[in-house]
Amino acid sequence: MTYRAGSYVVDVRDGVLVQVAEAADDLVRVRALSGGDPWGVPPSALRLATREERQAAGLRPYQTGCDECAALEAAKRNAAEGGDVTRSRNATAAAYTHWIVAHSAPAPRRGN
């Protein structure tokens, strides 16, 4: 499996939730959620963190370190504060769409 920088994974050797800093075929560099220097982990020792694991760790889409997530979250808050329901819904959809496309595992391919 290929992991994307910014995604959250669990090191199955010790059950620790970490964030991917860099990914290559033979080694994935991860860092603690609290930050710090990254270290290398073989991809076979990792799995994607579940939504429940991310939520239990207190993570939200706008807290991933992704500049686009932060901008979209700010736009979502501004739209909600403005009281424009349509604009608020569109901003929410844009934030969630970005989160899924940029930070989630790719959907399995369906057969024909």
Side-chain angles (χ1 to χ4, degrees), residues 73-90:
E73 184 63 26
K76 191 170 89 167
R77 277 194 309 272
N78 289 339
E81 291 168 1
D84 184 334
V85 175
T86 301
R87 195 168 139 235
S88 180
R89 286 181 181 160
N90 289 341

Side-chain angles (χ1 to χ4, degrees), residues 16-70:
V16 173
L17 179 66
V18 293
Q19 185 176 26
V20 174
E22 298 175 63
D25 290 337
D26 57 341
L27 192 66
V28 178
R29 296 189 50 78
V30 299
R31 69 170 41 101
L33 298 183
S34 59
D37 293 331
W39 65 92
V41 178
S44 61
L46 299 172
R47 67 167 174 79
L48 287 173
T50 65
R51 178 182 301 201
E52 292 78 18
E53 288 168 328
R54 291 189 312 268
Q55 287 177 339
L59 299 172
R60 299 291 182 264
Y62 56 88
Q63 294 173 318
T64 63
C66 172
D67 291 338
E68 190 168 351
C69 282

